[in-house]
Amino acid sequence: MVKKVKLHDLCCANCAAKIEDKVSKVSGVSSVTVNFLAEKMIMDVEEDKLSEIQASVEKIVHKIEPDVVIEYI
């Protein structure tokens, strides 16, 4: 299942790359792309693990970029 996420106030391309790297290692995520300029992350995830994956992703994002607002679109 493809899930799109808006990352409001993402501050730099380096942080976007770190987020992409860490999220790609989450169990149940088969692919992830973070676009710094668009402030968007697109993930291909296992649907039955979606709530677990979302919780993991939020922890990762807020550890790297504490001020980012996450919006699932």
Side-chain angles (χ1 to χ4, degrees):
M1 154 184 226
V2 174
K3 196 69 179 165
K4 295 179 183 176
V5 183
K6 186 76 174 165
L7 302 174
H8 298 280
D9 299 324
L10 191 59
C11 81
C12 68
N14 187 42
C15 290
K18 286 180 184 178
I19 291 168
E20 185 174 289
D21 179 57
K22 297 291 185 189
V23 170
S24 71
K25 296 174 182 171
V26 172
S27 177
V29 175
S30 56
S31 70
V32 61
T33 303
V34 178
N35 183 313
F36 164 66
L37 293 176
E39 296 185 323
K40 192 180 289 184
M41 176 169 48
I42 300 173
M43 304 180 292
D44 191 3
V45 300
E46 293 179 17
E47 189 171 358
D48 60 331
K49 294 185 175 183
L50 187 57
S51 61
E52 294 171 41
I53 291 168
Q54 286 179 339
S56 296
V57 166
E58 288 173 16
K59 285 180 186 177
I60 291 166
V61 170
H62 286 131
K63 185 174 183 178
I64 296 170
E65 281 276 17
D67 296 329
V68 165
V69 176
I70 299 171
E71 175 187 1
Y72 295 93
I73 51 177

